[in-house]
Amino acid sequence: MEEIEGKKNKFPLNPNNIIINRKDEYLDKVEKRSTQLFLIAKNDNLEVIKQHITADKTFQIAAGEENSFELFYILEGTVASEDEKITLAAGDSITAKSGEEEKYFKTLTEVTLLYISSTPIFASEQKKINELLALNEQIADKDTETHDHCDRLQRLSRLTAKELDLSEEKLFNLGYASFLHDIGKAKVPKSLLQKPGRLTESEWEIMKKHAKWGKTILLERFSNKYFEQVAEIIYQHHERYDGQGYPQGLKGDEILIEAQILTVVDAYDAMVYERPYQRALTRKEALAEIKREKGKQFAPRAVEAFLKAEKKFVGQS
Ligand SMILES: [Fe+2]
Ligand SMILES: [Fe+2]
């Protein structure tokens, strides 16, 4: 006993080289549509990630470059090969070495994996998301839309979605889409964004393209499927319930519920918070305007949910 104690004293825990991560502590975290990645440990050529994947999702296994490898160790849940000939459960693992072709597996249940990879995927995903957020900040700088606008939109649209009992996945997508809704303005000339007064018809045509450009920017940056739905919501954020919106002129429930919500919230926020070229309305005036446009510009169900959510939002802030 004494000897062990002695050894302990000789080799005390050094906070510089021993890192203890408690259950809910991670170096970093990336949340995507159906996947959550928690970076538990890393060095220059290895990442150890805990990954949650929802049921009925496909994931790809491919080690990629020379001398690289990937290990998926199943902690919880069931995974099957694409043809379902192989089923794997807790304690089973899949290893991919370089040079081998990629394989697809699917989750039969919700799955937790320990994912060890010599390709730093975590860093690259995180980098892409950070780039997108930086681009959004740039637009806020040259446009009248501010970071605060995006932030309020994100909170208020999530509250509205909760009133409609939308799934976690939809909430997540809507959150991202709200924050990035005008990212397509990155391609609109600064002179247009900052033009005081009315735009000419041809200028307006260019401005209207930002909905389409927003979708393109997201799809260009993320070749995977995770941002497809977010891109679609952004694409539809200027559609109108009565079909008079743009760019596609979608009507009624052809418009995604997430986009229906975003449209109401975006309009409300723009009315209540002053912009250089227009006087801000009072909250009461803005709500009256939203109600007037129910069934015209806005989807009735989105308006009803919004009115409840807005009350809570005002109470919170
Ligand atoms: Fe917009
Ligand atoms: Fe906006």
Side-chain angles (χ1 to χ4, degrees):
M1 228 12 211
E2 261 178 42
E3 218 182 289
I4 295 170
E5 282 297 319
K7 269 186 184 165
K8 250 191 187 171
N9 290 336
K10 257 190 214 166
F11 300 102
L13 272 184
N14 180 341
N16 291 323
N17 62 15
I18 305 291
I19 301 158
I20 293 171
N21 280 325
R22 295 284 183 192
K23 201 173 156 197
D24 294 318
E25 291 170 359
Y26 307 98
L27 297 178
D28 217 336
K29 183 176 165 185
V30 172
E31 284 191 86
K32 297 189 289 193
R33 207 170 140 208
S34 53
T35 312
Q36 289 174 302
L37 301 164
F38 303 95
L39 184 63
I40 297 174
K42 66 165 181 174
N43 69 10
D44 290 346
N45 34 34
L46 204 69
E47 286 184 343
V48 179
I49 295 160
K50 192 170 102 171
Q51 185 171 10
H52 294 297
I53 312 175
T54 55
D56 205 24
K57 290 285 175 285
T58 305
F59 63 101
Q60 188 198 53
I61 294 182
E65 295 154 27
E66 211 179 327
N67 293 327
S68 59
F69 100 114
E70 281 189 334
L71 166 75
F72 290 83
Y73 184 91
I74 301 166
L75 296 169
E76 268 175 60
T78 317
V79 165
S81 58
E82 228 178 348
D83 55 10
E84 292 200 34
K85 280 188 181 150
I86 307 165
T87 310
L88 301 161
D92 295 337
S93 62
I94 310 162
T95 311
K97 286 186 260 173
S98 59
E100 290 171 11
E101 59 176 315
E102 61 199 32
K103 282 265 177 279
Y104 288 90
F105 284 81
K106 58 184 173 191
T107 57
L108 299 181
T109 61
E110 207 175 283
V111 167
T112 308
L113 301 162
L114 194 63
Y115 172 31
I116 299 174
S117 170
S118 61
T119 323
I121 60 123
F122 199 98
S124 70
E125 286 296 331
Q126 185 70 56
K127 197 169 154 245
K128 280 190 226 165
I129 291 174
N130 288 343
E131 279 170 8
L132 212 55
L133 296 178
L135 187 63
N136 208 42
E137 287 291 316
Q138 282 170 28
I139 301 160
D141 280 347
K142 63 177 184 173
D143 190 17
T144 51
E145 305 226 331
T146 61
H147 177 89
D148 289 349
H149 168 67
C150 296
D151 197 48
R152 282 190 304 265
L153 233 62
Q154 194 173 32
R155 288 189 291 144
L156 191 48
S157 54
R158 278 183 69 92
L159 275 180
T160 307
K162 278 190 181 161
E163 292 293 335
L164 288 163
D165 280 326
L166 296 195
S167 67
E168 268 310 312
E169 186 181 322
K170 286 201 162 87
L171 282 173
F172 178 75
N173 291 334
L174 178 57
Y176 254 113
S178 301
F179 200 77
L180 300 171
H181 68 293
D182 275 338
I183 195 133
K185 286 186 178 172
K187 293 194 181 190
V188 176
K190 194 175 169 182
S191 58
L192 269 191
L193 290 175
Q194 296 180 338
K195 185 180 172 180
R198 283 187 165 273
L199 298 178
T200 66
E201 203 166 314
S202 62
E203 287 170 335
W204 183 234
E205 285 308 315
I206 295 170
M207 184 66 105
K208 274 160 67 172
K209 287 188 178 158
H210 82 273
K212 174 82 187 288
W213 285 335
K215 176 180 174 173
T216 325
I217 288 173
L218 254 80
L219 294 183
E220 272 167 9
R221 289 187 182 232
F222 297 92
S223 52
N224 57 39
K225 293 192 186 307
Y226 298 123
F227 275 88
E228 262 175 27
Q229 203 60 16
V230 178
E232 206 54 41
I233 301 167
I234 291 176
Y235 188 36
Q236 296 184 8
H237 84 275
H238 283 289
E239 297 291 350
R240 289 174 54 113
Y241 192 73
D242 60 11
Q244 302 299 306
Y246 66 87
Q248 299 178 92
L250 299 178
K251 203 174 181 176
D253 289 337
E254 286 170 3
I255 306 164
L256 290 170
I257 179 68
E258 300 96 308
Q260 291 179 349
I261 293 170
L262 177 51
T263 310
V264 180
V265 178
D266 192 22
Y268 168 80
D269 198 83
M271 283 189 267
V272 172
Y273 292 87
E274 201 171 358
R275 299 198 180 178
Y277 52 87
Q278 69 185 46
R279 183 186 69 90
L281 302 183
T282 65
R283 188 182 152 229
K284 209 175 143 197
E285 287 167 333
L287 290 177
E289 177 63 20
I290 299 274
K291 285 177 196 161
R292 249 196 311 277
E293 286 294 321
K294 181 175 164 183
K296 295 176 208 162
Q297 184 179 356
F298 308 125
R301 60 176 173 168
V303 171
E304 276 150 34
F306 166 78
L307 294 174
K308 288 184 216 161
E310 195 267 352
K311 243 182 225 156
K312 292 180 186 168
F313 186 74
V314 170
Q316 275 176 15
S317 49

